[in-house]
Amino acid sequence: MSSLRTKGKSTVVWLLMGLLLLGLGGFGITNFSGISSGAIGAVGSAEIDSRDYVRGVRSDMQGFAMQTGQVLTAEQARAIGIPQQVQGRLFAAAALEAEARRIGLSVGDETVLRDITTAPAFQTAGGQFDAAVYQDVLRREGLTPARFEEDMRMDAARLLLQGAVVGGVTAPQTLRDTTARWILERRDFSWEELTADDLAAPIAAPAEETLVAWHQANAAQFTAPERRRITYAWLTPEMLESTVQLDEAALRELYQSRIDEFQQPERRMVERLVYSSQAEAEAAKARLDAGEVSFEQLAAERGLTLTDIDLGERSESELGAAGAAVFALDQPGVVGPLPTDLGPALFSMNAILDPVDISFEQAVPELRGEAAADRARRVIEEQAHALEDLLAGGASLEDLAAETDMELGEIEFSAETPSQGIAAYEAFRERAAAVTEGEFLQLHELDDGGVFALRLDELIEPELIPFEQVRELVLADWTAAETRRELKIRAEERELLLDSEANGDAPSPAAETDAATPDPAAGFQTATDVERNYGIEGVPAEVVTRGFQLETVGDAAAVEAEGRVFLIRLDAIRPADLSAAESQPVLSGVAARLTESVQSDLFEAYVRALQASHGVTLNDSALNAANAMIQ
C-alpha cells in the first residue's frame, strides 16, 4: 500500500505537507451537508474520500512500525494522534484543490503521463514503465485509471500552487546571522562544585517527626512499585545435568573436536614489520639496536600501528623460515631481518606461551559439564511437545511439577526485582511484566534452552512503604536534600561576593577586618572556549546553560542541577567570526532551518485562510465508519 504514495492526493499530502500539521479548529466547520456519503469531509467543493483517509492512517501506522519495531493497534494509533495528523494533511490538500479549481489552475496530459510513467510503483526492476503493473496496482487499491489520472493532475496543480506561495521565500539574513552568532559564540568560565566539605559543620540529625513528615511529603520516593505475585514452573538444562547419561565415546568425540584447545605447542606472541628491501630492513634494525628508535616508532614511520602488524599467537612452524630465530629468544626482543613471503621483516617477540598438554582424562570434568548441558537441552526440546500437550489439556502448573521434571516456584515480581534465579532471564521478565490474570497457560523458551510457564496470582497496586521499614532511606534522602539546601545558600553568598567584586563595590568594613573571610573564587577550575552545544566535561548541561545566560564578564551564578550544587563565573565572551571557514556549515544549516520554518508558517497561514474562505465540512458518520475499518 505504501508504494502508492505516488497516487492522487498523495504527492502534496505526503511529500510536502511535512511543512504543515493542521488541526480543524477555528474554521467554522459545518456538519455533513451536500457531500457524497463516501467522503469524510470537504473544503469547499473538494471532497476527501474516506478511502484516502483509511489508506493514509494505515500508511502512517506502517511507517511507525518500520521506524520503531512496534506494531500499533487502532486504539494506540488514535492515542498518539495519527488519525488527526492524517486529517490535517488531507484537509490542507483539499483546501489547495478547492483554490486551484477556483482560479482554473491545472496541468496538461504530458505532465500527467510523465508523472505516472516515472513513478517507481509502476516500473519494472529495470526501471521501465509497465502498463500491466500499473493496472494491477490500481485494481488492488480500488482505483480506476480515470480517477487516478485526475488525482495526479490535481496533485500537480496543488504543487504549482504551493510553489507559488512558498517558492523564493528565504529567512532574512539578519535573522540567520544573529542565530549563527548565538550558536557559535564561545565563553570562558571558572566553576566549582560545592560539596559537604564546604559547609561550616555537618548536617545535624533531625527530629523524628521531621523524618515522618518528610516520608509523607515525598511519598513517591518511598512507594513500592506495582508487584505481581506469580507462580511458575520451569525446567533448565542445569536441572537435568546430573541425571543425563553420557558415554565415554561421546566424550572422546567431543575431546577430539576441541583438540586444538587441549593440545597446543609452545607459542610466541609476535609482531611482524615487513620492508621492501633487505637493505632497508637492515638499516631499521641497526637504528633499533643503537637505541635511536623503538619498534613501535619504526612501525609508525611506515604508517602502521602495532595492532596492524600483530600476528597474535604463533607456533614455530607457523612462522616458517623465521620460526627458528624467533623461538631462539628466551625473553622478549626483536630479531631480523628474516625472509617472509612478503619480503624481509623484523619480528618482535613479546611473550612466551608454554605448550598446552591436557589429556583426555584431565579434560573429562569440563567435557562432561558441556556434554551434559548439551544433552539436557536436547532432552528438554524432546519433552517440550508433551509439556505443551499437558497445558492444552488443562494441566495446572502444580500438575506439571508433580508429573514432569519441571520445578514449581513463586515470585513477587516488579521492575526492581533482582536479576537472579528465574528473574535473571529476560524472557521471563518480559512475560512476567505482561501476563494478565486468567491468561491461558503457555510454554515459553529461555535463552539457555530451558522452558517455563507462569500464572499471575495477584496484582498488588503501588503502595507507600511504612516509615519504619524505610527510616534509614528517609534519613539519607532528607540529609541529602538539606545538604543541597545549605550548599545552595553557601553558593549564593559567594555569588554575591563575586558580583560585588566584578562591579567594583568596596567590601564592607566587617569584611575588611575579618581575616577569616574566604576568597569567593577559591577552588575554582577554569574552562576556556566552551561551546554552547558541548558544555564542560563532568558538569551538568544546566550549569553551562546558566553560564551562557550571564550577560557581563565577572557575573556569577549558583546553580543546583542533577542533585549537585555549582558556582559558575563568566570570565570572557568570545564572539563568533561568521567569516571563518568553520562557520560556513553552521550558517548554511541555520539558513536552511530558518527558511523551512518561515515557509512552514507562511504556508500554514495560507492554508488556514483558504479553509476559512472556502468553508470546511465534516461528515461525522463517514469518518466514524472509516475509523471502524482501521485495524
Side-chain angles (χ1 to χ4, degrees), residues 457-488:
D457 297 325
E458 182 182 3
L459 186 64
I460 305 172
E461 297 296 333
E463 58 184 359
L464 182 64
I465 304 172
F467 171 75
E468 295 74 16
Q469 296 181 23
V470 291
R471 183 188 181 282
E472 293 306 312
L473 292 176
V474 174
L475 174 59
D477 189 65
W478 179 90
T479 302
E482 187 66 10
T483 300
R484 290 194 299 272
R485 187 183 70 82
E486 292 287 348
L487 288 174
K488 186 68 178 299

Side-chain angles (χ1 to χ4, degrees), residues 390-563:
L390 285 172
L391 290 174
S396 66
L397 298 178
E398 290 76 9
D399 294 334
L400 289 182
E403 300 175 17
T404 72
D405 292 324
M406 297 188 79
E407 296 182 5
L408 196 67
E410 295 180 348
I411 187 173
E412 191 170 282
F413 179 83
S414 73
E416 299 176 359
T417 299
S419 295
Q420 59 189 34
I422 194 169
Y425 293 91
E426 186 60 31
F428 175 82
R429 298 184 74 90
E430 290 178 359
R431 286 303 310 146
V435 65
T436 58
E437 290 189 70
E439 186 175 302
F440 183 75
L441 295 177
Q442 298 181 63
L443 200 65
H444 306 281
E445 294 183 4
L446 297 170
D447 57 18
D448 64 354
V451 293
F452 73 98
L454 77 169
R455 178 184 68 226
L456 177 61
D457 297 325
E458 182 182 3
L459 186 64
I460 305 172
E461 297 296 333
E463 58 184 359
L464 182 64
I465 304 172
F467 171 75
E468 295 74 16
Q469 296 181 23
V470 291
R471 183 188 181 282
E472 293 306 312
L473 292 176
V474 174
L475 174 59
D477 189 65
W478 179 90
T479 302
E482 187 66 10
T483 300
R484 290 194 299 272
R485 187 183 70 82
E486 292 287 348
L487 288 174
K488 186 68 178 299
I489 293 173
R490 171 70 175 147
E492 289 170 346
E493 291 173 349
R494 290 174 60 185
E495 175 190 335
L496 290 175
L497 290 173
L498 289 167
D499 286 344
S500 296
E501 288 184 357
N503 295 329
D505 297 340
S508 67
E512 290 179 340
T513 58
D514 186 0
T517 300
D519 179 1
F524 271 164
Q525 301 181 55
T526 59
T528 59
D529 275 342
V530 177
E531 298 180 55
R532 191 183 301 270
N533 291 337
Y534 293 97
I536 303 171
E537 184 177 359
V539 177
E542 185 178 340
V543 178
V544 179
T545 298
R546 183 68 183 90
F548 271 90
Q549 292 170 352
L550 298 174
E551 297 180 356
T552 306
V553 171
D555 285 354
V559 185
E560 183 177 347
E562 298 179 7

